[in-house]
Amino acid sequence: MDFKEVATKAALKAGAAVREGFGRPLSVESKGVEGVVTESDFLSERIIKEEIRSAFPGHGILSEESPEEKGSLTYRWIIDPLDGTTNYSHSFPHFSVSIALEEKGQVVLGVVFDPLRDELFLAEAGKGARLNGKAIHVSRTGELGKSLLASDFPKDLAAKEGGIFRDFAALSRKAQALRRAGSAALELCYVAAGRLEGYRNPRFHAWDAAAGSLVLTEAGGMITDLEGGPFSLDSGECLATNGLIHERVLEALA
Ligand code: 2AM
Ligand code: CA
């Protein structure tokens, strides 16, 4: 099997397990400022890692719920076994499984699966982005006032920095509407699919955005840091849009 097949199989299998646990009583543990974790996070991670290890035993793996496994210098998988765990733990139906593959530090494959809606977003570098096999593209809306935006941010940042809410209020006033939906990977794919015009996140981990950022750029979207500078998974912040409203968002927050 090739990279894409393994990633897809792993996402579908892990997603099915996550869906199985949805709405059932689960043990929910606190990770402090990092939010919560459930049995489904660990189960999903085990399933994905097993699929990857059996196909590509030498590859490196960075996954949210376990220490990084250093492997080949060329290939590293970046996994969020359950993105949107807070939603999940409340039976709020918005979460995903996210799997990306880096080759020499560049994300070359991204798969984000929403098991409740049976939506699989997939992108390969240079080959476009697809939702359940059909090509997707960002929206053509150029006006902030007609844009649906989303923003996620962790609770500890909200407690410490008043700026987060000032930005949130400014975007709420200028956009058609603003959501705080809770799954960074899925929100990036929604910008890619034209369901949102933009998404802003002042702090994420590499696993939240690795797959979604490739789906977004392959669908014609733009992603930068919060000031409009170059985006990287290590920078831990992003503004992702359809490209047309990017400057408008930066101006609205200047
Ligand atoms: P998670 O569900 O995998 O924890 C929600 O605000 C989004 O931010 C989700 O993608 C969530 O991922 C992520 N997230 C939650 N807490 C975070 C933290 N402390 N730092 C960075 N990202 C976080
Ligand atoms: Ca997670």
Side-chain angles (χ1 to χ4, degrees):
M1 284 202 290
D2 66 15
F3 297 146
K4 188 176 64 178
E5 285 164 350
V6 170
T8 301
K9 184 175 172 209
L12 293 175
K13 200 166 166 187
V18 165
R19 183 172 54 218
E20 190 69 20
F22 182 66
R24 303 210 173 151
L26 291 165
S27 66
V28 181
E29 285 168 46
S30 168
K31 294 198 289 180
V33 293
E34 292 296 331
V36 292
V37 64
T38 71
E39 300 148 53
S40 292
D41 296 73
F42 296 119
L43 175 59
S44 174
E45 181 169 89
R46 258 199 321 275
I47 291 168
I48 297 166
K49 281 186 157 187
E50 269 169 26
E51 290 295 328
I52 290 172
R53 275 201 213 104
S54 78
F56 310 112
H59 287 188
I61 301 182
L62 172 66
S63 182
E64 178 168 10
E65 310 304 342
S66 50
E68 179 164 6
E69 295 174 27
K70 301 270 185 199
S72 115
L73 293 175
T74 310
Y75 291 109
R76 179 171 77 146
W77 294 83
I78 305 180
I79 301 162
D80 191 342
L82 179 43
D83 186 51
T85 301
T86 301
N87 285 345
Y88 184 83
S89 71
H90 286 264
S91 303
F92 187 90
H94 187 79
F95 52 85
S96 58
V97 170
S98 175
I99 302 174
L101 175 64
E102 261 185 358
E103 183 179 343
K104 296 186 184 137
Q106 295 293 319
V107 179
V108 292
L109 171 69
V111 174
V112 176
F113 182 49
D114 172 349
L116 292 183
R117 297 182 184 87
D118 248 319
E119 290 190 327
L120 186 105
F121 298 88
L122 185 146
E124 290 173 277
K127 293 189 182 170
R130 278 168 283 159
L131 164 53
N132 292 345
K134 278 181 73 175
I136 52 173
H137 204 270
V138 292
S139 82
R140 297 190 205 308
T141 308
E143 285 176 56
L144 201 47
K146 291 185 178 166
S147 294
L148 183 61
L149 306 181
S151 177
D152 288 313
F153 46 91
K155 187 175 168 182
D156 67 304
L157 213 55
K160 274 192 213 129
E161 293 181 26
I164 294 287
F165 286 114
R166 192 184 55 230
D167 293 347
F168 202 78
L171 289 181
S172 294
R173 276 195 297 272
K174 297 198 171 161
Q176 183 185 358
L178 175 61
R179 309 286 180 234
R180 190 176 170 199
S183 169
L186 218 44
E187 272 77 277
L188 287 167
C189 292
Y190 280 17
V191 180
R195 295 172 179 177
L196 293 169
E197 274 62 49
Y199 173 67
R200 191 174 182 275
N201 192 329
R203 194 174 79 211
F204 62 75
H205 295 291
W207 47 76
D208 297 319
S213 62
L214 185 67
V215 174
L216 184 270
T217 53
E218 286 295 324
M222 178 182 279
I223 187 162
T224 66
D225 68 14
L226 295 184
E227 275 76 49
F231 167 80
S232 93
L233 286 181
D234 301 325
S235 66
E237 56 174 52
C238 72
L239 172 63
T241 73
N242 64 0
L244 301 172
I245 62 153
H246 212 87
E247 277 303 315
R248 302 286 91 74
V249 176
L250 292 170
E251 283 161 19
L253 297 174

